[in-house]
Amino acid sequence: MTAVPLRAGPLTTRLPIRLVIVDDHAIVRQGLRSILEREPDVEVVGEATTAADALDLVARVRPHIVLLDLELSAGSDLTGLALCGELTARTPAPGVLVVTTFLDERLVLEAIQRGARGYVLKDVDAVALVAAIRAVRRGESAFDSHSAAMVVRSLAAPAPPSPSSPDLTGREREVLALLARGLSNEAIGRELYISATTAKFHVTNLMRKLAVSRRAEAVYAGSKLGLI
């Protein structure tokens, strides 16, 4: 689906918060828009379903805030994380508020490392969601109670001993870099001129060496070890 700007709503007495919704589920986008359009200081100026569409849309409409789901492709939360990093690296950068179904400490921390200003679950109530949007617009951070507790635990936990870097092959380092871009096994295969089956083999070996079970965890671990 191609991202297109939405027609602006009626003007309010003060400049509204210009907002883009990035989610690959139409029913979620419609639900969020119906909630946010009731707020006089929030204006939904566009929607996107893919990372490429989101980057193009944000460049055109220059929103203040991007509501971002992490899972923009089936079974992968890497696409959203990579997009978060790309959006926050722009000038001017929109405030990114992650709105997702994933409650995972590593994902919360990775999203923060990539520049997200907030992280809330999709079951958050409308009042709390709007409050989070306004907080991000003010330059503050915004987390629901679950993700905030994870951040506090992470900050309070004693620093673990520095792990030794695993012995990755050159090919595995290439695969790790492509995982960080949110690529699927098929896309990795096309980039490296190998089959999807071979790409999957390298991904499996990579995750085993990093002692993780998810692709996002591999990217997180690799970035902590300075491998990407």
Side-chain angles (χ1 to χ4, degrees), residues 76-127:
S76 174
D77 43 36
L78 294 173
T79 305
L81 286 172
L83 175 58
C84 179
E86 290 193 62
L87 290 172
T88 57
R90 293 189 165 196
T91 303
V96 175
L97 175 60
V98 174
V99 183
T100 186
T101 57
F102 293 111
L103 183 58
D104 182 294
E105 184 169 329
R106 291 193 176 190
L107 289 180
V108 174
L109 297 178
E110 177 73 5
I112 294 170
Q113 288 181 339
R114 292 180 182 244
R117 300 303 303 267
Y119 194 110
V120 299
L121 296 182
K122 286 184 177 177
D123 62 0
V124 67
D125 64 53
V127 173

Side-chain angles (χ1 to χ4, degrees), residues 57-168:
L57 178 62
V58 168
R60 286 187 286 127
V61 303
R62 299 287 185 92
H64 301 121
I65 306 290
V66 174
L67 294 191
L68 174 64
D69 184 19
L70 291 183
E71 190 176 38
L72 298 178
S73 59
S76 174
D77 43 36
L78 294 173
T79 305
L81 286 172
L83 175 58
C84 179
E86 290 193 62
L87 290 172
T88 57
R90 293 189 165 196
T91 303
V96 175
L97 175 60
V98 174
V99 183
T100 186
T101 57
F102 293 111
L103 183 58
D104 182 294
E105 184 169 329
R106 291 193 176 190
L107 289 180
V108 174
L109 297 178
E110 177 73 5
I112 294 170
Q113 288 181 339
R114 292 180 182 244
R117 300 303 303 267
Y119 194 110
V120 299
L121 296 182
K122 286 184 177 177
D123 62 0
V124 67
D125 64 53
V127 173
L129 176 61
V130 173
I133 290 169
R134 290 171 178 153
V136 171
R137 178 62 180 129
R138 292 192 300 268
E140 302 168 5
S141 297
F143 299 91
D144 64 17
S145 58
H146 303 293
S147 56
M150 288 182 172
V151 174
V152 170
R153 282 200 302 272
S154 174
L155 294 174
S162 299
S164 58
S165 180
D167 184 20
L168 300 186

